[in-house]
Amino acid sequence: MRESRHTLLLVDDEPANLQVLRHTLQNDYRLLFSKDGHRALELIREEKPSLVLLDVMMPGMSGYEVCETLKDDDSTAGIPVIFISALNQAADEEKGLNIGAVDYINKPFNPGIVRARVRNHVKLVQAEALRKTRLDLMHRLGMAAEFKDPSTGQHIMRMSYYAQAMALAAGYGEIAAEEIFNAAPLHDVGKIGVPDEILRKPGGLTEDEWVIMRQHPAIGAQIIGEHEDGVLQMAHSIALCHHEKWDGTGYPQGLKGNEIPHAAHVVALADVFDALTSERPYKKAWPLDQAFNYIREQSGRHFSAALIEIFVRARPEIERIYARWTDNPHD
């Protein structure tokens, strides 16, 4: 069975230093050892340790060079590095942190401080792994709703990227725009609660069927639940409000204007644009120009004039996303 403890790689050309680190950390972690940078890189690629404790001054390949190599490789860039070095000038520490290390400990070190700092960074590794797992589950839950709908998984990716591009164009910071990207896939999760014969009906819906269909935003919000967490809180808002319209004619609450949460308004436009430019059982995909013209016509009706202006300004990025995530892009 795979070792359940976190794996640390200790890299130092001095055996005595490795021995001290071994005694300091062996009770809590699975340890790997290397005396040179090249072997360290091999072990990192083979073992994917949770954390690397890295000496700076080593023959052949310095610790700085090892760290830079790790950070240049997407498969290892996320592995945190702590430098442990006799170089104790502020400039040395600054250089180590600037090339991607998460911490810098001077030699001779205090074993208790090393244990505490390693423990803190391992907790951050655990938190990041949990965050990635949660986001992956959110995307998969969003895709589960798509299995009940004629649209494809590419719809999820396109509209999420469209929403992120609009958020950035609207002045959102990168973290906030990424939250919209991660929350957007759950916009239609409430369709899980809509009967297949309604979702897959090729023609128009009856009024009774529309009553059922219009329940999916509230169902989605109920599935996601209410959270203090930023992404899940945003996903709840998007699921509930992505069918609201700027003029108040949307559903389920009939919100109007700025009553509509901005993230939900952004995702709504992304969703409509992707529906227009995608083929469905009941329609052909619209050319991009036609879809952009339709969105412009919705100013003050479905969408705010300000959001449409942002969308049009982001058109080059929207078209790039469309080409990347569409099997047969056309205009």
Side-chain angles (χ1 to χ4, degrees), residues 127-152:
E128 177 63 13
L130 181 61
R131 186 189 73 87
K132 289 181 178 179
T133 299
R134 182 178 61 194
L135 293 179
D136 185 57
L137 288 174
M138 288 174 62
H139 278 261
R140 292 179 184 277
L141 182 57
M143 291 178 68
E146 296 298 314
F147 276 105
K148 287 178 62 68
D149 193 284
S151 57
T152 69

Side-chain angles (χ1 to χ4, degrees), residues 201-222:
K201 187 175 180 179
L205 301 182
T206 67
E207 185 55 39
D208 287 342
E209 290 169 336
W210 267 116
V211 169
I212 296 172
M213 176 64 86
R214 290 191 183 104
Q215 294 174 5
H216 83 267
I219 294 172
Q222 185 177 2

Side-chain angles (χ1 to χ4, degrees), residues 227-238:
H227 302 268
E228 294 182 0
D229 172 85
V231 178
L232 287 173
Q233 186 180 70
M234 183 180 288
H236 177 275
S237 173
I238 289 170

Side-chain angles (χ1 to χ4, degrees), residues 9-142:
L9 173 60
L10 314 181
V11 187
D12 198 306
D13 63 315
E14 291 290 338
N17 292 332
L18 291 178
Q19 279 287 80
V20 174
L21 287 172
R22 181 175 70 82
H23 286 298
T24 300
L25 299 166
Q26 65 183 350
N27 291 336
D28 298 310
Y29 306 99
R30 172 177 175 253
L31 302 179
L32 304 172
F33 303 92
S34 174
K35 295 180 181 179
D36 68 82
H38 293 289
R39 177 56 181 157
L41 290 173
E42 292 176 359
L43 285 170
I44 290 168
R45 291 176 180 129
E46 292 169 3
E47 298 283 346
K48 294 295 192 295
S50 299
L51 186 70
V52 178
L53 282 85
L54 182 60
D55 186 24
V56 172
M57 295 185 295
M58 297 185 295
M61 189 177 198
S62 73
Y64 290 145
E65 291 171 318
V66 172
C67 186
E68 288 173 326
T69 302
L70 290 183
K71 300 307 172 183
D72 287 340
D73 185 338
D74 289 342
S75 68
T76 58
I79 298 174
V81 172
I82 296 177
F83 281 119
I84 299 184
S85 176
L87 297 175
N88 57 11
Q89 298 298 310
D92 301 316
E93 182 173 351
E94 182 179 353
K95 179 177 180 179
L97 296 175
N98 282 337
I99 64 176
V102 297
D103 208 341
Y104 194 104
I105 301 174
N106 291 317
K107 295 178 182 177
F109 56 81
N110 179 300
I113 290 177
V114 170
R115 277 193 295 270
R117 291 192 178 182
V118 167
R119 181 172 61 250
N120 289 340
H121 286 295
V122 167
K123 285 181 179 179
L124 291 175
V125 168
Q126 292 173 316
E128 177 63 13
L130 181 61
R131 186 189 73 87
K132 289 181 178 179
T133 299
R134 182 178 61 194
L135 293 179
D136 185 57
L137 288 174
M138 288 174 62
H139 278 261
R140 292 179 184 277
L141 182 57

Side-chain angles (χ1 to χ4, degrees), residues 272-273 276-277 286-296 311:
V272 168
F273 179 78
L276 294 173
T277 55
W286 288 20
L288 295 184
D289 282 341
Q290 184 180 355
F292 270 94
N293 288 337
Y294 175 84
I295 295 295
R296 288 190 186 95
F311 181 69

